[in-house]
Amino acid sequence: MIEKSEKDSREGLLINITGNGKGKTTSALGTCMRALGWGWQVSIIQFIKNKQENGEKRFAATIAENLEMVQCGLGLTHNSRASDAQHIEAARNAWEKAKSHLRAGKADLMVFDELNIVLKLGWLDVDDVINALRKRPKRVHVIITGRNAPDKLIAASDLVSEIKEIKHPYKSGIKARKGIEY
Amino acid sequence: MIEKSEKDSREGLLINITGNGKGKTTSALGTCMRALGWGWQVSIIQFIKNKQENGEKRFAATIAENLEMVQCGLGLTHNSRASDAQHIEAARNAWEKAKSHLRAGKADLMVFDELNIVLKLGWLDVDDVINALRKRPKRVHVIITGRNAPDKLIAASDLVSEIKEIKHPYKSGIKARKGIEY
């Protein structure tokens, strides 16, 4: 079902990119590229991703004047050693940072990468998140990514895309690739 | 159904991002950002898009040493005045450029933006396209975007995502927005 949302064209959109297919984070990053092209300020907060090198981070470092990117997670892989309590603490710290950035309104576009997962895992309260999103400066666009977006957050969003995996090389044992997956 | 593909991990992937939801081109652009972060050469050929300003083009101009971006289309809007013959000519010229870039192998990642649409409209022959993709230098990754990816091209791809529209502000009369949609 395609739902409607009522927004003035000068108001920032709340966008959610969810689903099990490849392309959620990259879609958000590509929108950042567009926004940067127009000279906007952009801020990306990566919730799950840890300090490991990735292409977007290396890239952001080259254009640091307009694009801020912080990785606030502890990773979420089978060999990640963080406890639930540590993940929850990291998520809360990331969310405090996200909220203070939202309130300050310095960025025209903010990306909260993997926030859907954090909410799904119950590390943050979805009502608190929606509340803070509602109170943001009106012009600010927000893109949230991650699988399994909560229904309440979808209801609060202006634009939601679901990326479905049709075919993925992981199935035949290809590892994540530099430049494509990270 | 998720199909398998057999690829050596040093071989470039053929990726297709299709579906009716927002996020196809931006997903490709975000992958370019990752690739650029790793110092790769990247080339983007936009098939349908015309010379109008867009955020990605403005952005590409700021990092021209590693990222090439050419717009080869005539637009595809209700008020586009190009004839079918003109569209076909533009698509063929774009494809010749794409093929010669593929053959030369100067880029590590190439994006053929909206090529799915061009194929769907019959402006290029899908077998010719698949043939040229098969003959590309093995290390080169290719991302093709656009609605309605042809079945034959999906079968030839390593990774396919379908972006489904769950909710879109266009439905309530919001126009395309700078920095988000272009």
Side-chain angles (χ1 to χ4, degrees):
Chain A
M1 190 187 64
I2 292 162
E3 295 173 42
K4 290 187 178 186
S5 98
E6 298 301 336
K7 277 265 161 136
D8 183 281
S9 69
R10 290 151 303 181
E11 288 176 64
L13 299 175
L14 177 58
I15 297 172
N16 200 306
I17 315 280
T18 189
N20 68 346
K22 175 183 160 46
K24 296 181 287 297
T25 298
T26 49
S27 174
L29 293 174
T31 307
C32 293
M33 191 188 280
R34 285 191 172 153
L36 290 165
W38 292 110
W40 294 12
Q41 289 295 321
V42 176
S43 172
I44 303 170
I45 295 186
Q46 296 194 309
F47 275 82
I48 298 286
K49 282 167 190 130
N50 59 16
K51 307 279 178 205
Q52 269 196 315
E53 278 292 67
N54 65 35
E56 56 267 41
K57 183 180 165 187
R58 292 173 63 108
F59 184 76
T62 68
I63 50 161
E65 68 281 10
N66 287 322
L67 174 63
E68 175 204 50
M69 181 154 190
V70 283
Q71 293 169 301
C72 303
L74 302 172
L76 195 63
T77 57
H78 296 298
N79 50 13
S80 164
R81 291 198 188 116
S83 66
D84 273 15
Q86 287 171 316
H87 278 303
I88 289 168
E89 195 195 345
R92 288 189 180 157
N93 289 339
W95 179 239
E96 287 308 313
K97 193 182 293 259
K99 265 198 298 193
S100 83
H101 277 47
L102 262 187
R103 259 188 243 114
K106 272 189 277 181
D108 305 294
L109 168 64
M110 294 202 71
V111 175
F112 299 149
D113 186 46
E114 309 290 14
L115 179 58
N116 287 335
I117 294 180
V118 165
L119 293 168
K120 176 73 181 175
L121 291 167
W123 294 347
L124 290 172
D125 182 73
V126 67
D127 292 319
D128 284 356
V129 167
I130 290 171
N131 227 345
L133 289 167
R134 290 218 167 106
K135 283 192 224 147
R136 77 188 191 273
K138 277 202 161 186
R139 69 182 164 73
V140 177
H141 297 279
V142 176
I143 304 179
I144 294 168
T145 72
R147 290 170 185 232
N148 297 316
D151 292 341
K152 276 187 181 176
L153 189 55
I154 287 179
S157 299
D158 302 300
L159 189 160
V160 179
S161 289
E162 183 195 350
I163 304 191
K164 284 179 59 178
E165 181 176 278
I166 305 294
K167 203 186 216 184
H168 198 297
Y170 284 1
K171 303 292 158 183
S172 57
I174 290 184
K175 287 189 189 155
R177 292 176 190 223
K178 193 167 96 170
I180 301 291
E181 300 283 342
Y182 65 94
Chain B
M1 189 189 61
I2 292 162
E3 295 173 43
K4 291 187 179 188
S5 98
E6 299 300 335
K7 276 264 161 136
D8 183 281
S9 68
R10 289 151 303 182
E11 289 176 63
L13 299 175
L14 177 57
I15 297 173
N16 201 307
I17 314 281
T18 189
N20 67 349
K22 175 183 161 46
K24 296 180 288 296
T25 298
T26 48
S27 175
L29 293 174
T31 307
C32 292
M33 190 189 280
R34 284 191 173 154
L36 290 164
W38 292 111
W40 294 12
Q41 289 295 319
V42 176
S43 172
I44 303 171
I45 296 187
Q46 296 195 309
F47 275 81
I48 298 286
K49 282 166 190 133
N50 58 18
K51 307 279 179 204
Q52 268 196 315
E53 278 292 67
N54 65 35
E56 56 267 42
K57 183 179 165 188
R58 292 173 63 108
F59 184 75
T62 68
I63 49 160
E65 68 280 11
N66 287 323
L67 174 63
E68 173 203 50
M69 180 154 192
V70 283
Q71 294 169 301
C72 302
L74 302 172
L76 195 62
T77 57
H78 296 299
N79 50 14
S80 164
R81 291 198 188 115
S83 67
D84 273 14
Q86 288 170 316
H87 278 302
I88 289 168
E89 195 195 344
R92 288 188 180 158
N93 289 339
W95 179 237
E96 287 308 313
K97 192 182 294 258
K99 265 198 298 195
S100 83
H101 278 49
L102 262 187
R103 260 188 241 115
K106 271 189 277 181
D108 305 293
L109 168 64
M110 295 202 70
V111 175
F112 299 149
D113 186 46
E114 309 290 13
L115 179 58
N116 287 334
I117 295 180
V118 165
L119 292 168
K120 175 73 181 176
L121 291 167
W123 294 347
L124 291 172
D125 182 73
V126 68
D127 292 319
D128 284 357
V129 167
I130 290 170
N131 226 346
L133 289 167
R134 290 218 168 106
K135 283 191 225 148
R136 76 187 191 274
K138 278 203 162 185
R139 69 181 164 74
V140 178
H141 298 278
V142 176
I143 304 179
I144 294 168
T145 72
R147 291 171 186 233
N148 297 316
D151 292 341
K152 275 186 181 177
L153 189 55
I154 286 178
S157 299
D158 301 300
L159 189 160
V160 180
S161 289
E162 182 194 352
I163 304 192
K164 283 180 60 179
E165 181 177 277
I166 305 293
K167 204 184 213 184
H168 199 297
Y170 284 0
K171 303 291 160 183
S172 57
I174 291 184
K175 286 187 190 156
R177 293 176 189 220
K178 193 167 96 171
I180 302 292
E181 301 283 341
Y182 64 94

